[in-house]
Amino acid sequence: MRIGIDKMAFATTNDYLDLVELAKERGVDPNKFTIGIGQDLQAVVPPTQDIVTLGATAAKKLLTSELEKNISTVIVATESGIDNSKASAIYIKHLLGLSDFTRTVEMKEACYSATAAIQFAKGVVALNPQETVLVIAADIARYGLNTPGEVTQGAGAVAMLISRNPHILTLEDTTVAYSKDIMDFWRPLYATEALVDGKYSTNVYIEFFLQTFTRYQQLTGRELADFAALTFHMPFTKMGKKGLEGLLKDRNDEVAQRLRTQLTASQLFSRQVGNLYTGSLYLSLMSLLQNSDLRAGSRIGLFSYGSGAEGEFYTGILEDGYEHYMNNIQEELKHRHQVSVAEYEKLFSSQLGMNDRDIEFDVTNDPLPFVLKGQKDHQRIYEAK
């Protein structure tokens, strides 16, 4: 039985920041951001949006009344949780109007957990072929104003339906997971911004990719020539390039050139949105599929990484007509609203965060279908507009 990704959709905020403008304000050479880091634009989060609203917005683009009947499970992968107990998946399931006979759970392991969610979803479908699992990777990457990590912030959600006879990508059986207790990135319970050792984290990322890919080759006997493309977790797009070049080194044959070309295609959307944490790998997959000419039957490799640290390499085979089962991301990104650096700083500081007060936000100008209205009696209040 073929099991894999049947449909995909992406959602982000309506506001964005031009990183050239940020560089000028911070007194930094813009090339450090656009070339050195590989980012051009960054999603800016208003206080009326969080992982629940973004996740629900992405999922809404996938669903029809017929598909909703088959969804047995909703899994939200995030490291931007809004509650230490209650799963964000429950809020999303409610906003989407899904049946109460639906399993809901939230998963965490830095940027990696969406991949674990997909693997678990595959197991659910294998046991119950009539069921579909909704997997949502939703995150808001925050490092603070005027910090070294500021340029690698971002926000958004990727929603995926995992089912039998998928229309986008059939998942192959061999997968390699690799984990170690490493402090390259973490966020204590008392912090709203992450702590990170950037250079160390990059080195660990490359090491984990090489370890998992080498092990995959040992198990399957496959070579680089067997892949049409490799996709990477990209907290910033230069990270994916570092991973690929760590594998290719000085190799410059036809296969290496093809993989570099496809990597560029996979980076395009991330350059315009920023860091999605758990969703970054899957936004790069959507970018690859919407900005390349890959054919049905092509094998794609996916490298997932989450600091702390865990990595996984696995593969999928493209299905015929895959391009018809995703929302047009580039077209949607054209309609966002650019904010100034001052506006961005104000919005950044207006988040609900670890606030225990009652608060009500003005949702009038938020165009997304789901909004966070505020907090009352320590409960977040959501609304479907």
Side-chain angles (χ1 to χ4, degrees):
M1 177 171 55
R2 295 186 300 106
I3 301 173
I5 302 175
D6 185 57
K7 296 178 71 176
M8 302 181 77
F10 169 70
T12 188
T13 61
N14 188 57
D15 298 325
Y16 74 91
L17 175 68
D18 188 324
L19 293 181
V20 171
E21 297 301 316
L22 180 65
K24 292 177 180 177
E25 182 68 25
R26 301 292 186 247
V28 175
D29 179 355
N31 288 335
K32 182 178 180 180
F33 291 173
T34 60
I35 299 175
I37 301 296
Q39 297 299 127
D40 296 321
L41 309 175
Q42 184 178 106
V44 174
V45 186
T48 50
Q49 293 295 320
D50 65 6
I51 61 165
V52 168
T53 59
L54 292 171
T57 298
K60 182 180 174 65
K61 298 176 183 181
L62 297 177
L63 300 182
T64 64
S65 56
E66 191 62 33
L67 286 172
E68 289 174 5
K69 297 175 184 178
N70 297 326
I71 293 177
S72 68
T73 305
V74 179
I75 307 175
V76 174
T78 187
E79 58 177 282
S80 309
I82 59 167
D83 190 285
N84 286 326
S85 177
K86 186 174 180 178
S88 54
I90 293 179
Y91 293 100
I92 292 176
K93 169 251 167 185
H94 173 72
L95 287 173
L96 295 174
L98 298 178
S99 167
D100 287 346
F101 293 99
T102 302
R103 183 186 298 110
T104 55
V105 69
E106 180 174 310
M107 299 182 62
K108 180 181 72 178
E109 174 26 52
C111 302
Y112 161 77
S113 59
T115 296
I118 287 173
Q119 300 298 347
F120 294 167
K122 182 180 178 183
V124 169
V125 176
L127 289 171
N128 304 282
Q130 76 282 3
E131 296 182 2
T132 296
V133 179
L134 172 59
V135 172
I136 300 171
D139 267 303
I140 296 173
R142 288 172 60 94
Y143 296 97
L145 301 175
N146 207 7
T147 63
E150 183 177 31
V151 69
T152 62
Q153 297 177 142
V158 176
M160 297 168 276
L161 294 178
I162 309 301
S163 72
R164 64 176 175 175
N165 301 325
H167 287 102
I168 296 179
L169 195 72
T170 292
L171 302 180
E172 296 189 287
D173 289 337
T174 303
T175 179
V176 178
Y178 186 79
S179 62
K180 285 185 177 182
D181 186 1
I182 290 173
M183 298 301 290
D184 60 330
F185 170 108
W186 67 103
R187 182 169 66 84
L189 290 175
Y190 53 78
T192 56
E193 282 82 45
L195 303 173
V196 60
D197 184 337
K199 186 174 182 180
Y200 179 44
S201 188
T202 298
N203 291 336
V204 173
Y205 173 102
I206 296 170
E207 175 199 347
F208 274 45
F209 170 55
L210 296 178
Q211 289 280 3
T212 56
F213 186 77
T214 299
R215 178 63 173 161
Y216 175 87
Q217 288 186 300
Q218 292 169 347
L219 293 173
T220 64
R222 293 182 180 130
E223 302 295 333
L224 275 177
D226 295 315
F227 293 89
L230 298 177
T231 55
F232 293 82
H233 164 58
M234 287 193 282
F236 54 93
T237 63
K238 194 66 172 289
M239 185 76 100
K241 179 177 174 61
K242 289 177 181 289
L244 182 61
E245 294 305 327
L247 177 66
L248 296 179
K249 296 184 170 54
D250 296 327
R251 184 169 170 174
N252 199 33
D253 57 12
E254 181 180 348
V255 171
Q257 291 177 15
R258 181 183 74 242
L259 294 177
R260 290 186 176 106
T261 297
Q262 302 294 19
L263 176 70
T264 298
S266 74
Q267 293 172 321
L268 295 178
F269 294 156
S270 293
R271 292 189 70 98
Q272 300 176 63
V273 176
N275 193 352
L276 302 189
Y277 286 158
T278 53
S280 292
L281 168 60
Y282 299 99
L283 181 59
S284 72
L285 175 61
M286 294 184 75
S287 184
L288 171 70
L289 298 183
Q290 295 188 19
N291 294 290
S292 67
D293 56 355
L294 292 177
R295 298 179 179 179
S298 297
R299 174 175 290 110
I300 298 175
L302 299 95
F303 173 62
S304 180
Y305 176 77
S307 295
E310 186 154 4
E312 184 164 345
F313 183 84
Y314 70 109
T315 59
I317 303 297
L318 271 183
E319 294 295 328
D320 186 38
Y322 64 86
E323 64 274 13
H324 301 300
Y325 294 88
M326 299 174 282
N327 64 310
N328 187 327
I329 295 177
Q330 189 59 59
E331 184 61 31
E332 293 183 7
L333 292 178
K334 292 178 182 178
H335 301 289
R336 292 183 298 169
H337 168 252
Q338 182 177 349
V339 298
S340 67
V341 174
E343 290 172 314
Y344 143 72
E345 291 177 340
K346 181 179 179 180
L347 290 170
F348 186 92
S349 301
S350 300
Q351 300 295 303
L352 184 58
M354 294 184 178
N355 195 328
D356 64 357
R357 295 181 292 108
D358 288 354
I359 187 169
E360 184 174 353
F361 297 128
D362 181 1
V363 301
T364 306
N365 296 321
D366 193 321
L368 269 64
F370 303 103
V371 292
L372 172 62
K373 293 188 66 176
Q375 180 172 270
K376 186 175 182 180
D377 297 331
H378 307 284
Q379 301 175 41
R380 288 189 176 222
I381 310 299
Y382 294 100
E383 180 180 87
K385 297 182 72 176

